Amino acid sequence: ALRSPYQEQRDAVYGRIPLPVIGDLLKKRLAFTLLILLLRTNLISAGPAEEGAIHGYFTAPRVGETRVISTTFLDDPFVNTQSSLALGYGKSSNIVTPLIEIDGDPVVGLEGELIFATLLFQYRYAVRDWVAVWGQLNIAARLGNEIQTMLVQGVNAATGFEVGWLFRLYESEKHLLSTGISVRDGSATIIDVAGWAEGVVEGENVELVRKSPTLGTIGDMRYIYAANDFTAFQFLGQLAYGESIERSRENEFNYGLGGLVSLDFSKKTSHPVGLALGYKYTTIPDGADEIIDDIQSALIGISYTGRPDFSIGLDLEFQRLPVKGIEDPASFFSAIISMRYFF
């Protein structure tokens, strides 16, 4: 039988598929195309007020209508699914090291600075709307930028892995209260040049490189009060128990307290910027053996708030703390670039 050019073209594309089957395929393709067009139309036409509805759970943490600006240095109470990455660098003020005497002879007594770098990754998963689990990896390194500070302070590298659970206790339009518990497994590698040299001179068996594994648990209470859509207040209280990095010391209790005020300037201006100002006091060790006493920190966080599912910011920390081998407390400054994605 003679076949038209159209029939031959159709057979080349579909083969000899029966017409009802071809009709079903075309209907499905048409329905799928209409669905894609509908979704694209909704996304393009959505304004700022509709973003939360489009993204659903892909929404930055809020208490009521208030978006809360937090920092890497203060744990938040939100039971949600998110991943966060933080990269940071810091340095101390100029440190004057006292004279070190080995066998009665002074060796060093010069000036220098301490520098450090840190990497932190955390993933949090909301198992239910009232409970979340998280895992966190933290890597930090500290050393002196001059020979004299390296001799006195040595070189310190610390890694830690933490797994925990977060439970929401109460939530309303103005308040959010959660409690968390976690287990932290850490390890510190310390190169103590001054202690090793002094031990050699005095005939003692002192290790140049020593490793100190630590294990501990931390419980906390986390609270946020949203005063209005522009301002919120966040508070944190922690109680920890675990091993000390100094192996000669017994297991010990430590605690931490902190708070901040969150300001969402996108509610007052056209600029999608948030600011957090806070303070933190803690005795919980962070894997550094050169820190010998309590740590006090002033916190500043600046975040981009233009997207409901993502935030990027700069977290600043100013510390005043006592350091091993230094008579006066040292000042530390650190800057961390933090990124969070909300699922």
Side-chain angles (χ1 to χ4, degrees):
L2 296 177
R3 302 179 61 82
S4 67
Y6 171 77
Q7 290 174 321
E8 293 179 354
Q9 184 180 10
R10 190 200 68 180
D11 290 344
V13 176
Y14 295 102
R16 296 185 179 275
I17 303 175
L19 287 176
V21 176
I22 295 176
D24 291 341
L25 292 175
L26 292 176
K27 290 178 181 178
K28 291 179 180 179
R29 178 174 294 185
L30 179 61
F32 180 76
T33 303
L34 292 175
L35 177 61
I36 295 299
L37 291 175
L38 179 61
L39 290 176
R40 288 177 58 86
T41 303
N42 286 340
L43 288 173
I44 293 172
S45 62
E50 297 175 284
E51 288 183 344
I54 293 172
H55 289 270
Y57 289 105
F58 294 80
T59 304
R62 297 175 183 271
V63 177
E65 296 299 322
T66 306
R67 179 164 180 169
V68 179
I69 313 301
S70 189
T71 76
T72 307
F73 308 108
L74 208 67
D75 296 328
D76 64 68
F78 293 101
V79 176
N80 59 2
T81 300
Q82 62 171 282
S83 63
S84 59
L85 176 67
L87 300 169
Y89 168 83
K91 63 182 299 184
S92 71
S93 59
N94 197 43
I95 294 176
V96 179
T97 60
L99 288 173
I100 295 179
E101 294 187 359
I102 297 180
D103 200 21
D105 297 324
V107 178
V108 293
L110 303 176
E111 299 181 1
E113 298 174 344
L114 289 175
I115 60 176
F116 71 89
T118 184
L119 166 67
L120 184 147
F121 174 77
Q122 183 187 98
Y123 179 76
R124 184 186 304 175
Y125 176 69
V127 182
R128 295 287 187 272
D129 61 354
W130 56 272
V131 60
V133 297
W134 84 86
Q136 176 175 294
L137 175 65
N138 187 21
I139 302 174
R142 295 178 176 84
L143 69 157
N145 68 335
E146 300 287 348
I147 296 297
Q148 58 271 17
T149 47
M150 291 187 66
L151 287 173
V152 176
Q153 302 299 329
V155 179
N156 185 304
T159 60
F161 179 74
E162 186 174 352
V163 59
W165 298 262
L166 182 65
F167 304 91
R168 188 177 64 209
L169 302 179
Y170 177 76
E171 183 177 20
S172 67
E173 288 295 315
K174 293 287 187 179
H175 306 273
L176 175 60
L177 176 65
S178 299
T179 183
I181 185 170
S182 63
V183 178
R184 177 186 296 176
D185 181 22
S187 176
T189 301
I190 302 160
I191 303 176
D192 188 0
V193 181
W196 173 80
E198 186 175 356
V200 169
V201 172
E202 296 180 358
E204 299 178 357
N205 184 17
V206 178
E207 295 180 340
L208 174 61
V209 181
R210 56 188 173 90
K211 294 185 178 181
S212 297
T214 59
L215 182 66
T217 182
I218 302 176
D220 60 47
M221 295 293 293
R222 313 176 188 187
Y223 173 70
I224 288 179
Y225 169 67
N228 47 56
D229 62 354
F230 173 67
T231 308
F233 300 91
Q234 179 178 336
F235 302 95
L236 172 69
Q238 296 175 305
L239 180 64
Y241 177 78
E243 297 174 324
S244 170
I245 194 172
E246 293 291 341
R247 310 312 295 172
S248 59
R249 298 169 61 178
E250 299 291 334
N251 293 357
E252 56 189 8
F253 281 98
N254 291 282
Y255 68 95
L257 298 170
L260 62 81
V261 56
S262 164
L263 305 173
D264 184 7
F265 288 99
S266 65
K267 297 295 185 180
K268 301 293 184 180
T269 68
S270 60
H271 304 292
V273 177
L275 178 65
L277 302 173
Y279 171 82
K280 187 176 182 179
Y281 175 91
T282 182
T283 65
I284 301 174
D286 65 346
D289 76 326
E290 71 267 17
I291 300 174
I292 59 175
D293 210 338
D294 308 343
I295 303 174
Q296 300 184 61
S297 306
L299 312 175
I300 299 177
I302 305 171
S303 297
Y304 168 74
T305 60
R307 288 184 53 176
D309 60 341
F310 175 77
S311 70
I312 183 170
L314 178 65
D315 295 336
L316 306 176
E317 182 178 30
F318 304 87
Q319 294 180 325
R320 184 76 173 169
L321 48 89
V323 177
K324 181 181 67 177
I326 307 299
E327 295 180 356
D328 298 325
S331 299
F332 281 78
F333 166 77
S334 60
I336 290 181
I337 297 177
S338 63
M339 295 168 283
R340 295 185 183 185
Y341 190 80
F342 308 101
F343 296 87

